[in-house]
């Protein structure tokens, strides 16, 4: 530091005089102040880290390789990583602590008793953690998935009517139509007999097709021809998943210098332009016609998501802004297509592995639709498929679409056994871990739909099965998703038989949702129409 000041003074041609000494002092003082403040911050950080580490010692830790990496890289986003989670849960039945490097602890919670105080806490006490969700922000903005505090509470209350049963009933026709389009493609592919199809590829396009109609009343025909908007959503989902597992790309300034960062921005622009254009046109139509005339123009038509949000008001009578509506629409498009596609793909896979259960579901659907002219699933049919619903739930237990959700509590959380989760720590509610916990589900790797019959369900904790999360921040669209899944699964089993493609190994891959590496391929065989 003295050499630096000497160089500065020589540059300024100052002699070694009293003035020079004063100048040195003036230059050194702010540098010493900055250094002192940095040392204080480092000391405070080390002290807080030490205290936090001591408070977390009540939670068990799996063995780690070394001090620097700790448990980083122990649970990878692949088949081996999920197998490791199952081993950890079999050893640590309630919770376990893992360190991602020397300074970042993550508490994984895998038992309903431990999950309850976190999941049922208010959104202010247990907000979502930005480390795991922050990469979605440029795409989804402050929609329900990412917002916190008062804004989240206001939007949750305003959006709840959009998922009322009376609204969902009107979407049944769309679910049937989109499924029929997908099945039309399958019929063409199977003209010469059974063919192996990647479930994720076809079902993702089908769910996006349904959502575009439910959210925007827009038919892009994306199942049969390319759509820039749909391609952008698929690209964004892929890019966010990749970035999450590339530590260097966690820095925004570095990520957006790279090709993937530029692709991400371009895809965001496409999605945002489409959504903003729809919202703006609806807003103009509403203002020009007036509320009463506008509602009259919608009579006899399906009220889509944008229509409902344009009418939504809070307690003060205030409406959502165009930006808020766009963020919620983008969030619904993202959350609604991926999770439903995952749930459907895996339930077809599990029924392909268990043909007896598949036949039992098919018989249930055939009996339900017997004597009807149209092969359409109606709203009143949904509760009339108990065994099919049990098979869906057991599939979502074994293969939950979302494997974990994270919270970072703003205050200490007391657990039933007296242990305390210190505030500020990341709590990973492991949905996959809980669903595979032998203390919660005996023989957790066995596919057994009868776990969800009426009697067995009453004996389980409500938090033992949570494919749509739990508590105040559970998935607002879960009834929408379950209705769509039942329609698609029922019509698929009515028209096709699915079998395992033994030539393609199935390896689970947890990303934003639970996928399969290299696709989830099943043999699809058309069935003769039942008269």
């Amino acid at each position: 530091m003295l050499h630096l000041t000497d160089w500065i003074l020589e540059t300024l041609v100052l002699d070694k005089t009293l003035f020079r000494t004063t100048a040195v002092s003036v230059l050194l003082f702010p540098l010493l102040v900055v250094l002192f403040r940095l040392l204080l911050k480092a000391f405070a950080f080390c002290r807080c880290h030490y205290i936090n580490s001591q408070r977390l010692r009540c939670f068990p830790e799996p063995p780690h390789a070394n001090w620097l990496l700790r448990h980083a890289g122990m649970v990878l986003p692949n088949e081996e990583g999920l197998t490791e989670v199952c081993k950890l849960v079999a050893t640590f039945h309630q919770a376990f602590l893992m360190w991602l490097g020397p300074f970042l602890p993550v508490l994984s919670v895998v038992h309903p008793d431990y999950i309850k105080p976190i999941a049922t806490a208010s959104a202010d006490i247990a907000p979502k953690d930005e480390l795991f969700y922050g990469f979605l922000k440029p795409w989804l903005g402050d929609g329900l998935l990412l917002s916190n505090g008062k804004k989240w509470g206001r939007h949750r209350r305003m959006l709840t009517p959009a998922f009322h049963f009376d609204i969902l009933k009107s979407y049944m026709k769309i679910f049937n139509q989109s499924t029929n389009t997908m099945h039309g493609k399958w019929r063409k592919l199977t003209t010469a007999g059974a063919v192996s199809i990647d479930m994720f590829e076809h079902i993702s396009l089908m769910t996006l097709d349904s959502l575009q109609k439910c959210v925007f009343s827009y038919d892009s025909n994306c199942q049969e021809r390319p759509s820039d908007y749909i391609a952008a959503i698929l690209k964004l989902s892929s890019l966010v998943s990749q970035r999450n597992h590339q530590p260097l790309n966690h820095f925004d300034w570095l990520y957006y210098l790279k090709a993937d960062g530029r692709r991400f921005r371009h895809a965001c622009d496409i999605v945002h332009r489409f959504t903003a254009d729809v919202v703006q046109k609806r807003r103009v139509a509403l203002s020009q016609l007036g509320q009463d005339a506008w509602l009259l123009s919608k009579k006899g038509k399906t009220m889509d998501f944008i229509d409902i949000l344009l009418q939504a008001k809070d307690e003060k009578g205030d409406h959502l802004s165009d930006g808020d509506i766009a963020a919620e629409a983008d969030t619904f498009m993202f959350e609604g297509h991926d999770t439903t596609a995952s749930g459907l793909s895996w339930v077809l896979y599990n029924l392909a592995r268990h043909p007896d259960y598949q036949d039992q579901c098919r018989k249930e659907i055939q009996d339900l639709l017997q004597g009807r002219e149209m092969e359409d699933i109606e709203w009143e049919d949904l509760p009339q498929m108990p065994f099919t619903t049990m098979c869906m739930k057991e599939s979502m237990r074994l293969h939950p679409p979302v494997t974990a959700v994270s919270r970072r509590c703003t205050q200490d959380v007391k657990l039933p056994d007296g242990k305390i989760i210190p505030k500020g720590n990341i709590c990973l509610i492991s949905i996959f871990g809980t669903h595979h916990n032998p203390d919660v589900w005996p023989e957790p790797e066995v596919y057994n739909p009868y776990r969800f019959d009426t009697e067995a369900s009453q004996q389980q904790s409500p938090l033992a099965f949570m494919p749509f999360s739990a508590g105040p921040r559970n998935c607002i669209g879960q009834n929408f998703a379950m209705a769509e899944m039942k329609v698609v699964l029922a019509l698929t089993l009515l028209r096709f038989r699915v079998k395992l493609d033994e030539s393609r190994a199935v390896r689970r891959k947890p990303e934003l949702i639970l996928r399969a590496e290299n696709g989830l391929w099943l043999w699809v065989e058309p069935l003769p129409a039942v008269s």
Side-chain angles (χ1 to χ4, degrees):
M1 190 176 294
L2 288 173
H3 291 306
L4 175 62
T5 54
D6 283 343
W7 177 80
I8 294 172
L9 293 171
E10 287 173 7
T11 303
L12 297 174
V13 197
L14 294 176
D15 297 328
K16 293 182 179 180
T17 61
L18 178 61
F19 175 71
R20 177 187 174 95
T21 304
T22 305
V24 169
S25 301
V26 170
L27 286 168
L28 281 177
F29 182 73
L31 292 173
L32 289 171
V33 169
V34 170
L35 180 61
F36 182 68
R37 290 188 66 180
L38 288 173
L39 287 172
L40 281 178
K41 286 184 177 181
F43 175 76
F45 172 80
C46 291
R47 182 174 179 274
C48 289
H49 175 66
Y50 174 77
I51 293 172
N52 189 52
S53 299
Q54 293 298 111
R55 295 186 69 190
L56 288 170
R57 290 185 69 179
C58 60
F59 298 104
E61 293 183 30
H64 53 78
N66 56 63
W67 174 87
L68 182 62
L69 294 177
R70 302 295 286 268
H71 303 101
M74 183 175 177
V75 178
L76 297 172
N78 55 24
E79 178 69 30
E80 288 74 23
L82 292 178
T83 301
E84 185 64 31
V85 170
C86 292
K87 290 178 182 177
L88 289 168
V89 172
T91 305
F92 310 108
H93 303 299
Q94 295 176 314
F96 53 91
L97 184 68
M98 298 186 73
W99 291 81
L100 306 183
F103 301 114
L104 182 60
V106 176
L107 182 66
S108 292
V109 187
V110 294
H111 194 282
D113 293 345
Y114 269 42
I115 290 170
K116 185 176 180 179
I118 304 166
T120 58
S122 71
D124 290 331
I125 293 173
K128 290 195 172 183
D129 172 58
E130 290 188 5
L131 178 67
F132 290 92
Y133 295 96
F135 300 145
L136 292 165
K137 197 85 169 180
W139 172 14
L140 305 181
D142 271 334
L144 273 184
L145 179 65
L146 302 180
S147 58
N148 284 307
K150 291 181 179 179
K151 183 169 187 176
W152 175 85
R154 176 176 179 261
H155 281 216
R156 178 83 183 202
R157 291 189 296 274
M158 294 175 77
L159 264 65
T160 298
F163 297 95
H164 190 275
F165 291 139
D166 289 339
I167 300 296
L168 298 183
K169 285 180 187 178
S170 65
Y171 295 152
M172 293 293 289
K173 183 178 180 182
I174 294 173
F175 297 156
N176 279 278
Q177 288 173 345
S178 296
T179 307
N180 291 341
T181 301
M182 180 177 73
H183 288 168
K185 290 168 59 181
W186 289 9
R187 292 251 180 230
K188 291 178 184 177
L189 291 170
T190 57
T191 50
V195 65
S196 184
I197 291 175
D198 178 11
M199 293 293 108
F200 269 96
E201 179 185 347
H202 285 252
I203 295 175
S204 291
L205 283 175
M206 184 274 300
T207 56
L208 281 166
D209 188 20
S210 286
L211 275 170
Q212 237 184 335
K213 294 169 184 172
C214 294
V215 176
F216 302 112
S217 294
Y218 184 84
D219 185 2
S220 66
N221 199 20
C222 65
Q223 294 195 68
E224 299 184 289
R225 69 183 184 201
S227 161
D228 289 343
Y229 174 76
I230 298 301
I233 288 180
L234 294 171
K235 175 58 71 176
L236 287 168
S237 298
S238 173
L239 288 171
V240 171
S241 298
Q242 292 170 22
R243 188 181 180 190
N244 201 37
H245 302 296
Q246 298 168 344
L248 287 178
N249 284 336
H250 287 197
F251 301 100
D252 284 347
W253 63 270
L254 181 59
Y255 182 67
Y256 290 115
L257 289 174
K258 296 184 175 182
D260 277 355
R262 292 191 293 273
R263 292 189 193 101
F264 181 83
R265 275 187 168 154
H266 178 65
C268 279
D269 288 342
I270 293 173
V271 169
H272 292 161
R273 277 198 302 270
F274 178 89
T275 308
D277 183 57
V278 173
V279 174
Q280 187 177 16
K281 286 178 179 177
R282 297 286 180 86
R283 180 78 75 183
V284 168
L286 177 59
S287 62
Q288 287 178 345
L289 292 173
Q291 181 80 7
D292 293 338
W294 185 78
L295 285 173
L296 189 62
S297 72
K298 296 287 180 180
K299 193 172 182 180
K301 299 178 182 177
T302 299
M303 290 281 283
D304 65 29
F305 192 61
I306 300 293
D307 292 333
I308 296 165
L309 295 193
L310 282 168
Q311 298 177 77
K313 295 180 182 179
D314 62 14
E315 297 83 353
K316 298 178 182 178
D318 294 331
H319 292 273
L320 292 167
S321 69
D322 286 2
D324 288 337
I325 293 174
E328 298 300 352
D330 289 339
T331 297
F332 191 25
M333 286 296 299
F334 159 66
E335 288 197 278
H337 93 272
D338 248 1
T339 52
T340 309
S342 176
L344 280 166
S345 298
W346 286 111
V347 71
L348 287 170
Y349 166 76
N350 281 303
L351 291 177
R353 290 178 62 227
H354 299 88
D356 290 346
Y357 292 146
Q358 182 181 163
D359 290 340
Q360 197 170 337
C361 288
R362 184 175 293 109
K363 179 68 164 57
E364 182 177 69
I365 306 305
Q366 289 171 343
D367 290 345
L368 179 64
L369 299 183
Q370 190 172 15
R372 294 193 193 176
E373 292 183 9
M374 296 288 291
E375 282 184 351
D376 278 0
I377 303 297
E378 299 172 359
W379 179 260
E380 292 71 24
D381 295 329
L382 300 183
Q384 308 303 318
M385 300 185 279
F387 187 73
T388 304
T389 303
M390 287 160 55
C391 288
M392 286 170 52
K393 289 183 175 180
E394 175 65 350
S395 180
M396 288 190 287
R397 182 198 67 81
L398 204 57
H399 297 93
V402 177
T403 57
V405 294
S406 67
R407 301 285 185 266
R408 192 188 288 264
C409 298
T410 57
Q411 63 184 51
D412 289 358
V413 175
K414 187 175 182 179
L415 299 172
D417 58 4
K419 292 178 182 177
I420 302 290
I421 303 174
K423 69 177 182 179
N425 287 290
I426 297 173
C427 298
L428 193 71
I429 299 175
S430 178
I431 297 172
F432 182 89
T434 305
H435 287 186
H436 289 253
N437 189 337
D439 268 19
V440 180
W441 299 98
E443 298 183 296
E445 302 307 316
V446 175
Y447 182 82
N448 176 15
Y450 292 99
R451 299 179 199 270
F452 290 94
D453 65 21
T454 305
E455 185 179 347
S457 295
Q458 290 174 349
Q459 298 173 6
Q460 274 290 5
S461 162
L463 296 174
F465 175 67
M466 46 180 180
F468 299 103
S469 188
R473 292 205 69 143
N474 68 344
C475 175
I476 194 172
Q478 58 184 291
N479 290 323
F480 178 100
M482 286 297 291
E484 183 176 17
M485 288 176 67
K486 286 183 181 182
V487 171
V488 178
L489 183 60
L491 292 179
T492 300
L493 295 180
L494 191 67
R495 298 165 180 169
F496 299 91
R497 186 182 306 280
V498 289
K499 299 178 181 179
L500 289 179
D501 185 342
E502 302 286 358
S503 67
R504 298 176 187 263
V506 175
R507 288 173 51 84
R508 298 166 295 181
K509 185 179 182 182
E511 292 183 336
L512 295 175
I513 49 100
L514 184 61
R515 297 185 179 277
E517 287 183 24
N518 305 314
L520 187 58
W521 296 79
L522 299 177
W523 286 100
V524 175
E525 176 188 343
L527 295 172
V530 179
S531 57

